[in-house]
Amino acid sequence: MSDSTGDGWAIQQLMNRYTEGACRRDWALVMATFAEDATWSVPARGIELTGHAAIEPAMSGFVDRMDYFVQMNSAAVIEVDGNRAHARSVIRECGKFKGRDEALEVLGHYEDELLRGAEGWKFARRTFSSFG
């Protein structure tokens, strides 16, 4: 498995668009990074959502409870195998809850399964695990 055709760059840009969309509350941009039947999972919280109609309201509902929300992603380790790829990246999220003197800081990592289709690379599955 290797990345000799710029696929790694394209996948990292997909991850960057996801992060930018989450920070700006641009859920159309975030959902554009997922395949229609993709799964977003947070096993420690018992969350496993499939499809845009399930993923978007869960994400937006959480972020809408914040005065601000910032997500920062790291450069990913990406392995490409034809039209499939696997990526691992570290992520930091911070924010402040509305109407409360309470902040959020989450450190963790994503394990991603990606597929290349007619529109380019998309997440088929994103699994988030926090550190600690």
Side-chain angles (χ1 to χ4, degrees):
M1 291 188 234
S2 66
D3 175 31
S4 60
T5 61
D7 290 326
W9 182 85
I11 291 168
Q12 185 67 59
Q13 289 301 306
L14 179 80
M15 298 166 106
N16 295 344
R17 283 192 299 278
Y18 171 93
T19 296
E20 180 186 17
C23 292
R24 292 188 314 149
R25 303 173 194 231
D26 182 343
W27 303 113
L29 179 59
V30 173
M31 289 302 105
T33 67
F34 285 95
E36 283 293 327
D37 60 350
T39 298
W40 180 65
S41 174
V42 186
R45 299 274 183 195
I47 298 170
E48 181 156 301
L49 304 169
T50 300
H52 291 195
I55 296 169
E56 182 178 346
M59 288 182 173
S60 65
F62 177 75
V63 174
D64 285 348
R65 297 175 16 213
M66 310 294 238
D67 281 333
Y68 68 85
F69 177 81
V70 177
Q71 183 181 89
M72 294 164 275
N73 66 317
S74 69
V77 175
I78 301 166
E79 300 166 340
V80 176
D81 186 11
N83 289 329
R84 296 183 173 276
H86 181 261
R88 295 176 306 282
S89 60
V90 173
I91 194 159
R92 179 180 184 212
E93 296 176 337
C94 56
K96 182 193 170 296
F97 290 96
K98 286 182 181 175
R100 296 168 28 196
D101 190 19
E102 186 177 349
L104 166 81
E105 182 173 38
V106 177
L107 304 171
H109 68 279
Y110 269 116
E111 293 277 338
D112 298 316
E113 297 171 26
L114 302 104
L115 296 172
R116 179 182 15 220
E119 297 179 0
W121 289 101
K122 301 275 184 168
F123 295 116
R125 180 176 191 87
R126 286 208 98 186
T127 301
F128 177 80
S129 299
S130 62
F131 295 136

